[in-house]
Amino acid sequence: MNPLSFHAPVLLIAIPLLGAFAVPLIGRLGAHLRRIFTGLIALLTTACAGLVAATVFSAGTPITYVLGGRLTLPSGMNFPIRIILEVDGMSTFMVILTALILVTAVFYSFSYWRRRSGGTMYDSLLFLLGAGIFGMELTGDMFNFFVFLEITSIAACGLIGFRVWQGRSQEAAFKTMALYTLSGLFVLLAIGLLYGKYDGLNIAYLAAHIGSGLVDRIALGLLLVALAMKAGVVPMHMWAPDAYGEAPAPISAVLVANSQASLYGLFRVLFTLYGLAISVTTLGWIMIVLALLTIFIGVTMALIQSDIKRLIAYGAVSQIGYMLLGVGVGLATSAGQPDYGLVAMQGGIFHMINDAACVGLLFLAAGVIIRAAGTRNLNMMGGLAHDMRWTAMFFMIGALALAGIPPFNGFASKLMIYESTFRYSPILAVIAILGSILLLAVFLKVFQAAFLGPRTISPIERPSRLMLASMGVLALVVIAFGLFPGFFVHTIVGPAAKALWLGRDAYIGAVMGG
Amino acid sequence: MNTIDTGYGIWNSIVWTLLFLGILSIGFWIRSLGRKDYKAGTGQTKVFLSGNEEPDPKGLHVRGDHLYWGMIAGFSGYYERIRRWHTGILSDYAAWFIGILSIIFIILGLIR
Amino acid sequence: MMIGNFPYIVAMLLVAIGIYALLFKRNLIKLVIGISLVETGVNLFLVTLGYRTAGIAPIYTYAPNAKPMVLPTPQALTLTSIVIGLATTALLLSFVVFIYRHYGTLNVREIKELRG
């Protein structure tokens, strides 16, 4: 293995982290130089993500990267001082997703902040958030996971409250930060409990020894609820519309990736850490019930919103439900492992990247709409399509894809979820389809209110080419994933689903040996 | 490449797209069979509103909240309840969090 | 035995008081104090996990052979967690400052512009 791909996992965390702390220094040399540097770091991060993906997929097994060496005490005792990064198919999938959203958000931000005081701190926090998300996805160590979780919390809330001149954004940031901190502390408590029982922090080590005692159950409950909260699962979703709605538009897109990183943590805990230790049927049904609540309440709340970003935010919350539904069915059937369980897993996981791309696209388009209309209230908009054709088209693509209309990507993943959950229990598929129909209605409302109708307002500010290009990249991803679903399911989603569903032994074996 | 197996059947995006374009072009073909001998710009192409004059389109746009007014009014019982949930108060958010945590603890304590 | 478990009870009590403050107090500053208390409870829990009766500080070059050392890992975790806690508390308090400037109140029940 060449040294670059050997070190790729750690570089993927180190490069955005370097960017985060170097941006304030480079910013002193001038805004232009800072932009070049920021763009360079974003592209390097993406390249690194590609390298990680290539390495893992060619290896076929989880790869590990050891930070810190082995120390032998004078007494002859081996004392491992190390943190392990462990990258398997699922981590790689999440890395691809995050890199895609991060790079588009960075380039979109260039012109988003043109006339306002964006600048150094914004770029710095954005890269910190990126580094934290990558860290959560790559780490093989529970405590390290907590540290990265907190990094994402702090950076995310700093960005949500970035517009200090708006009271609402401060309110959203405070609420979100309080809940993030609480959930982070519960995760830490769970990690402490597991450490106390098993005397280790490595996920693979803990997974090899995990039991089903009282301590394990308390730790599982804490981890499950804390990570579900951070993913925005109903009824713990109330921070999500506040945060997504009040954050600057590109940040809303990255926050979706952040929520999905928490979802990844949840899946990792349930599948890899606990495996079959505690009744998977019950855990699966807990997830399914939460998923149905999330789908239904998210989408019905979206229908009555008149703030465009809050509306999309509720739509994003409802989409988390589909991922939970697919993976929940996968979890519930992971003891017997029927065929449709794997399809459900693949559908749920495929929907993660589809949702990130579509919701990201919608949030970016919403940022353009808000700039153009000068308001966020849908009741004050109308006829924007006359002047902003590209934005209208991108918004349409994102909305149709999210509502699951063929031939876009949302349809492919939702079809997999519908058909596999139907075989598990028909009512699940019925509610899922109902949610999709309502979601189409929701986005019809936005499209009708903002773009259609006679030309009532003329755009205050048109989108720059860079903004259109960033949206275009996401729209291309949406179309590509929709036209070639088989290819992507085979190359990136399949390994991810397998890594969670069947790869527990391989994950443990990569660290523990044997 | 562009086919996924869903367990029940298969979905091929290219076949669907070609079919969609085919049906679309049939639609346009049928449209093209229509009469072309009308006079544009005269009363023949005007919107017919029971004989009334067509009003100025400005102000006729169906705004955001009016689009599903009837449906939301129909489900007003549900919506009033669900709106009362979303109080916007941090303590309530935290209370939901702690509440779900306790429910999950109870479930995890009961199962084997 | 009871005395040995005492720190755990105190830690959980701190967590419970913190959650109580978060749920039932009105003042935003008190909410932040509540979160801080939860954090202290968790930190105390972590340190207690690593404690061995009559143990000494885990600096291994000075360690006499016979005596037990307290575990170093939980202390490292606690240190990290304290640093993170400092950052979160500072961030929360700065949001409180800005909220007060914009809303003119610290009552959590009045800060609900984002709802529904």
Side-chain angles (χ1 to χ4, degrees):
Chain A
M1 197 187 287
N2 69 51
L4 200 58
S5 44
F6 177 72
H7 290 294
V10 77
L11 281 178
L12 189 54
I13 302 172
I15 289 174
L17 211 56
L18 170 81
F21 291 105
V23 158
L25 293 176
I26 306 274
R28 298 240 154 209
L29 302 176
H32 197 62
L33 205 63
R34 193 193 77 225
R35 277 185 185 190
I36 295 172
F37 180 73
T38 317
L40 204 67
I41 291 283
L43 289 177
L44 266 179
T45 310
T46 315
C48 234
L51 202 59
V52 168
T55 314
V56 174
F57 289 146
S58 65
T61 50
I63 59 168
T64 54
Y65 184 88
V66 182
L67 299 157
R70 185 168 278 277
L71 179 76
T72 309
L73 292 184
S75 60
M77 181 184 145
N78 267 330
F79 198 69
I81 304 176
R82 52 181 192 170
I83 292 170
I84 294 180
L85 302 182
E86 185 160 6
V87 194
D88 67 354
M90 187 65 202
S91 318
T92 316
F93 175 80
M94 293 304 296
V95 160
I96 294 170
L97 184 162
T98 313
L100 173 71
I101 299 299
L102 189 68
V103 75
T104 38
V106 165
F107 281 100
Y108 182 92
S109 305
F110 279 162
S111 41
Y112 186 76
W113 291 106
R114 196 177 43 211
R115 264 184 259 148
R116 291 160 182 82
S117 59
T120 316
M121 290 306 145
Y122 175 85
D123 290 344
S124 187
L125 281 171
L126 183 52
F127 282 130
L128 201 59
L129 180 56
I133 297 175
F134 284 129
M136 279 170 75
E137 289 158 1
L138 293 176
T139 188
D141 182 281
M142 281 310 273
F143 187 73
N144 208 242
F145 181 80
F146 164 75
V147 172
F148 283 120
L149 188 81
E150 288 291 333
I151 289 177
T152 58
S153 299
I154 293 169
C157 293
L159 287 166
I160 295 165
F162 192 77
R163 292 189 275 211
V164 290
W165 55 89
Q166 291 178 353
R168 291 161 65 97
S169 75
Q170 299 308 301
E171 182 190 335
F174 179 78
K175 287 178 185 170
T176 311
M177 188 73 214
L179 289 177
Y180 274 8
T181 311
L182 196 64
S183 78
L185 288 170
F186 282 167
V187 169
L188 183 60
L189 194 61
I191 292 168
L193 286 167
L194 289 176
Y195 178 80
K197 184 161 181 191
Y198 298 108
D199 207 17
L201 289 167
N202 190 291
I203 294 177
Y205 172 86
L206 287 173
H209 292 87
I210 206 99
S212 60
L214 182 65
V215 174
D216 305 281
R217 280 162 197 259
I218 295 175
L220 175 64
L222 287 168
L223 285 170
L224 199 152
V225 178
L227 290 171
M229 204 284 303
K230 240 197 128 189
V233 172
V234 173
M236 300 170 285
H237 65 292
M238 281 120 168
W239 62 272
D242 300 358
Y244 293 174
E246 296 306 317
I251 299 308
S252 306
V254 182
L255 281 176
V256 173
N258 184 20
S259 292
Q260 292 187 351
S262 300
L263 211 56
Y264 158 81
L266 183 62
F267 297 163
R268 180 63 81 207
V269 165
L270 286 170
F271 282 94
T272 307
L273 189 56
Y274 280 85
L276 301 174
I278 292 172
S279 163
V280 282
T281 317
T282 318
L283 288 177
W285 272 101
I286 291 176
M287 282 176 74
I288 291 168
V289 169
L290 288 175
L292 295 180
L293 270 177
T294 309
I295 291 173
F296 193 72
I297 291 177
V299 79
T300 45
M301 280 304 286
L303 202 60
I304 55 169
Q305 300 303 316
S306 48
D307 179 326
I308 179 169
K309 277 192 77 185
R310 219 173 148 74
L311 185 145
I312 300 173
Y314 271 114
V317 167
S318 79
Q319 295 309 297
I320 296 282
Y322 286 91
M323 303 156 207
L324 267 185
L325 182 62
V327 178
V329 169
L331 181 69
T333 57
S334 67
Q337 305 211 324
D339 287 342
Y340 63 84
L342 186 61
V343 176
M345 290 286 294
Q346 285 177 341
I349 292 168
F350 191 25
H351 198 63
M352 288 173 97
I353 199 163
N354 293 343
D355 168 72
C358 302
V359 176
L361 180 58
L362 288 176
F363 273 128
L364 297 187
V368 171
I369 295 169
I370 293 167
R371 282 286 160 84
T375 171
R376 301 163 42 147
N377 191 341
L378 281 172
N379 296 328
M380 319 266 275
M381 296 179 186
L384 286 172
H386 291 284
D387 297 301
M388 305 199 309
R389 285 167 195 217
W390 283 102
T391 312
M393 197 182 82
F394 290 145
F395 191 91
M396 180 93 122
I397 289 173
L400 290 181
L402 203 60
I405 301 295
F408 300 111
N409 60 2
F411 176 75
S413 51
K414 281 188 175 176
L415 185 74
M416 292 168 88
I417 295 173
Y418 300 152
E419 298 212 335
S420 52
T421 52
F422 186 80
R423 286 189 49 184
Y424 187 62
S425 171
I427 188 75
L428 306 180
V430 171
I431 295 179
I433 292 173
L434 182 69
S436 275
I437 296 169
L438 283 172
L439 198 73
L440 185 62
V442 166
F443 285 114
L444 263 178
K445 169 180 166 177
V446 183
F447 198 77
Q448 147 79 13
F451 289 113
L452 300 185
R455 188 186 263 134
T456 42
I457 45 174
S458 60
I460 298 170
E461 193 178 324
R462 281 158 192 278
S464 70
R465 285 220 186 89
L466 203 54
M467 283 167 141
L468 286 177
S470 327
M471 288 192 281
V473 167
L474 284 179
L476 272 182
V477 168
V478 167
I479 292 171
F481 276 44
L483 285 184
F484 306 105
F487 174 73
F488 289 104
V489 166
H490 183 70
T491 48
I492 60 174
V493 179
K498 277 220 179 71
L500 281 184
W501 222 46
L502 308 163
R504 187 165 185 259
D505 294 334
Y507 193 90
I508 296 170
V511 173
M512 307 294 288
Chain B
M1 189 71 174
N2 42 45
T3 310
I4 48 172
D5 187 357
T6 57
Y8 257 123
I10 56 164
W11 152 250
N12 189 312
S13 56
I14 297 295
V15 169
W16 188 89
T17 313
L18 291 178
L19 209 64
F20 178 73
L21 290 178
I23 293 170
L24 202 68
S25 50
I26 291 173
F28 274 111
W29 174 69
I30 293 172
R31 185 175 181 272
S32 73
L33 295 180
R35 294 177 62 164
K36 291 194 185 62
D37 54 350
Y38 63 88
K39 297 188 187 71
T42 63
Q44 287 182 346
T45 58
K46 256 190 144 180
V47 179
F48 182 71
L49 288 173
S50 313
N52 297 320
E53 277 296 303
E54 188 189 357
D56 183 28
K58 276 199 176 151
L60 281 187
H61 179 45
V62 179
R63 304 256 176 195
D65 281 349
H66 302 301
L67 197 59
Y68 297 123
W69 179 87
M71 181 182 161
I72 291 166
F75 289 111
S76 62
Y78 168 75
Y79 271 117
E80 264 167 33
R81 190 165 308 150
I82 205 172
R83 268 202 165 136
R84 224 178 298 140
W85 263 33
H86 295 77
T87 49
I89 298 169
L90 175 61
S91 311
D92 294 350
Y93 293 12
W96 276 107
F97 181 43
I98 303 294
I100 292 291
L101 186 63
S102 2
I103 292 172
I104 298 278
F105 272 160
I106 291 168
I107 294 173
L108 285 178
L110 288 179
I111 62 171
R112 209 163 36 78
Chain C
M1 195 58 216
M2 198 56 219
I3 287 293
N5 283 336
F6 191 63
Y8 293 110
I9 297 169
V10 172
M12 288 309 116
L13 214 59
L14 277 172
V15 171
I17 295 170
I19 290 172
Y20 169 81
L22 194 60
L23 295 187
F24 297 109
K25 286 290 163 190
R26 295 284 174 89
N27 191 317
L28 285 188
I29 306 269
K30 286 184 182 165
L31 259 58
V32 178
I33 293 174
I35 291 171
S36 220
L37 274 175
V38 176
E39 193 189 302
T40 316
V42 175
N43 286 343
L44 184 62
F45 173 73
L46 284 179
V47 173
T48 316
L49 273 182
Y51 183 71
R52 295 286 174 270
T53 315
I56 55 160
I59 306 169
Y60 74 89
T61 43
Y62 296 117
N65 280 329
K67 281 199 161 182
M69 287 193 286
V70 300
L71 298 184
T73 318
Q75 299 198 352
L77 305 190
T78 313
L79 266 180
T80 318
S81 154
I82 288 171
V83 172
I84 292 171
L86 178 74
T88 51
T89 311
L91 194 58
L92 279 169
L93 285 175
S94 58
F95 288 140
V96 171
V97 170
F98 277 114
I99 286 177
Y100 187 73
R101 273 188 205 162
H102 287 290
Y103 288 75
T105 175
L106 284 178
N107 186 345
V108 71
R109 307 221 158 241
E110 287 170 21
I111 300 163
K112 48 174 189 177
E113 216 170 272
L114 301 166
R115 61 169 187 272

